Amino acid sequence: MPTVVSGIRSTGNLHLGNYFGAVKNFIEMQHHHDAYFFIADLHSLTTHPTPEHLYGNVRQVLAEYLACGIDPEKATVFIQSDVPEIAELYLLMNMNAYLGELERTTSFKDKARQQPDNVNAGLLTYPVLMAADIIIHKAHLVPVGKDQEQNLEMARTFARRFNRIYNVELFPIPRPYIFEGQDMVKIPGLDGTGKMGKSEGNAVSLADSPQEIRKKVMKAVTDSGPTVPNQQKPEVIQNLFTLLEVVSTPDVVSHFDLQYNNCTIRYGDLKKQLAEDITNFTTPIRERIEMLLADDKYLSSVAKLGADKARASASRTLQEVRAVIGLKKFY
Ligand code: TYM
């Protein structure tokens, strides 16, 4: 059975981008794969959260994973820092990761621009930790959104390089999981620029109340409207349609598409419908999140079960890696 590994950083609540770019595939894949889904709390340390925020966010994302339908009896659901073998593999992989290639990574350059006062070594070696996450379970497939494409390419490079240096076939080369031949998913934000993201302030969270959703959607950036029939949609408008496509029925999408094409569209109506359809989609998830957050005992039993299963798999790989490298025991 192919092995699947993927994770989400614990830097805040899950948003629609996380759901449609990643979690939706997790739910589907857990039935047919040996699946490992984790919360990347070590990765989130690059932004220096307070201890309270770190703990609260990990707990929140754990509840959100489960509320979305990830089944801890089927998939291995765990917290990255519960598996110290990952940190050791990260150290070992760092020896064959080079400054030039790490500095060229788009996500590193972006972060260095966003937080110029905190360009730490963890940011630079972020793709190495991500590679360790993936290859420690010998993953074949990694369900991620488009924004992680380059990081995943680096994981492939590091896995291939390790196999080549030591002349082994220890690590399968992990591939992105792409649903039915489509491109990797990119969910846009509400500000008309680029992707929906936690730090961009343009996201709708799964845990947002209907009021918050409505407020955010009604404020979404638009233009002054189409003036010529059948004109191509500018990015800000296409973004709203992309969101509509993931949460609304095809009828609703074609209704507004038609109105756009004959220049009668009123963006206010489209936004109202979008807010309503997002709310309908997120409400049952939000209610489950609230229930799960009130159940400490269940959350800790899930984390314990996941940690045990993930450590068993990770320590098997790490033992092999140590032997291949020549780190053998003298006792
Ligand atoms: P993170 O936490 O930023 O995002 C988690 C997942 O959500 C996807 N995603 C999106 N997909 C489509 N459109 C969007 N607007 C959007 N925003 C986020 C991401 O592509 C990702 O799949 N480095 C990773 C976490 C990670 C990881 C790993 C992933 C750590 N180790 C190993 C896979 C395997 C990250 O920061 O994702």
Side-chain angles (χ1 to χ4, degrees):
M1 191 158 43
T3 301
V4 173
V5 174
S6 197
I8 297 191
R9 252 175 318 142
S10 55
T11 36
N13 296 351
L14 296 193
H15 53 68
L16 294 177
N18 296 136
Y19 185 88
F20 289 103
V23 178
K24 185 168 181 240
N25 287 328
F26 297 0
I27 298 161
E28 175 58 33
M29 295 177 98
Q30 65 184 343
H31 301 291
H32 319 288
H33 298 84
D34 187 12
Y36 294 84
F37 301 127
F38 66 95
I39 298 162
D41 58 345
L42 296 177
H43 273 110
S44 76
L45 293 177
T46 55
T47 56
H48 297 172
T50 63
E52 295 74 29
H53 271 121
L54 180 64
Y55 174 75
N57 282 338
V58 172
R59 198 168 173 276
Q60 176 81 22
V61 177
L62 179 59
E64 291 180 336
Y65 263 179
L66 304 171
C68 288
I70 297 175
D71 178 351
E73 302 287 330
K74 290 208 166 81
T76 300
V77 179
F78 67 100
I79 296 159
Q80 187 184 34
S81 63
D82 277 342
V83 183
E85 289 80 3
I86 296 172
E88 184 174 335
L89 183 59
Y90 161 63
L91 182 148
L92 299 174
M93 298 302 289
N94 266 325
M95 306 306 165
N96 297 312
Y98 295 96
L99 183 60
E101 61 189 342
L102 295 172
E103 275 177 338
R104 277 194 300 277
T105 317
T106 320
S107 54
F108 174 69
K109 288 195 282 191
D110 285 351
K111 280 279 182 297
R113 214 174 305 121
Q114 282 166 15
Q115 47 183 74
D117 299 332
N118 179 23
V119 186
N120 59 62
L123 270 183
L124 183 72
T125 56
Y126 187 109
V128 187
L129 180 54
M130 186 158 154
D133 290 328
I134 295 168
I135 65 179
I136 202 148
H137 302 295
K138 300 192 177 179
H140 302 96
L141 288 171
V142 186
V144 280
K146 180 101 182 137
D147 58 307
Q148 295 297 317
E149 198 172 15
Q150 193 184 28
N151 281 338
L152 186 53
E153 196 47 57
M154 302 209 44
R156 291 163 61 80
T157 301
F158 297 141
R160 227 183 266 122
R161 189 176 292 162
F162 183 94
N163 287 349
R164 199 190 56 232
I165 291 172
Y166 293 103
N167 197 21
V168 289
E169 286 194 23
L170 188 64
F171 296 122
I173 309 305
R175 284 183 291 120
Y177 171 75
I178 297 170
F179 183 68
E180 285 178 0
Q182 295 166 8
D183 197 8
M184 292 168 89
V185 177
K186 178 182 149 191
I187 300 295
L190 292 172
D191 53 357
T193 59
K195 63 156 192 163
M196 183 175 286
K198 280 168 210 152
S199 38
E200 280 81 349
N202 63 5
V204 177
S205 297
L206 299 178
D208 280 347
S209 68
Q211 293 77 2
E212 283 168 304
I213 294 172
R214 199 176 154 97
K215 211 166 125 195
K216 287 182 180 179
V217 173
M218 294 315 282
K219 278 208 303 216
V221 178
T222 52
D223 62 6
S224 53
T227 46
V228 184
N230 301 317
Q231 75 183 63
Q232 208 195 342
K233 298 184 187 85
E235 195 186 354
V236 280
I237 304 305
Q238 183 51 52
N239 286 353
L240 291 181
F241 274 86
T242 303
L243 288 169
L244 211 55
E245 275 161 26
V246 293
V247 292
S248 303
T249 61
D251 285 1
V252 169
V253 181
S254 45
H255 168 78
F256 287 108
D257 212 32
L258 194 73
Q259 289 194 342
Y260 186 86
N261 285 333
N262 62 25
C263 306
T264 58
I265 191 158
R266 290 201 310 210
Y267 291 138
D269 294 344
L270 184 154
K271 287 178 177 180
K272 257 187 232 147
Q273 181 75 45
L274 179 59
E276 193 180 312
D277 291 344
I278 293 177
T279 304
N280 286 338
F281 174 76
T282 56
T283 295
I285 301 179
R286 192 187 69 250
E287 288 169 358
R288 283 196 296 273
I289 295 171
E290 282 159 15
M291 258 167 46
L292 285 155
L293 282 174
D295 195 345
D296 244 332
K297 220 165 130 198
Y298 180 64
L299 290 181
S300 65
S301 74
V302 168
K304 170 85 172 76
L305 175 71
D308 290 346
K309 286 203 280 180
R311 283 200 79 174
S313 156
S315 61
R316 268 196 307 275
T317 308
L318 191 61
Q319 269 175 30
E320 288 180 272
V321 170
R322 284 171 144 264
V324 164
I325 291 180
L327 292 168
K328 297 195 181 149
K329 291 265 181 265
F330 282 88
Y331 56 89

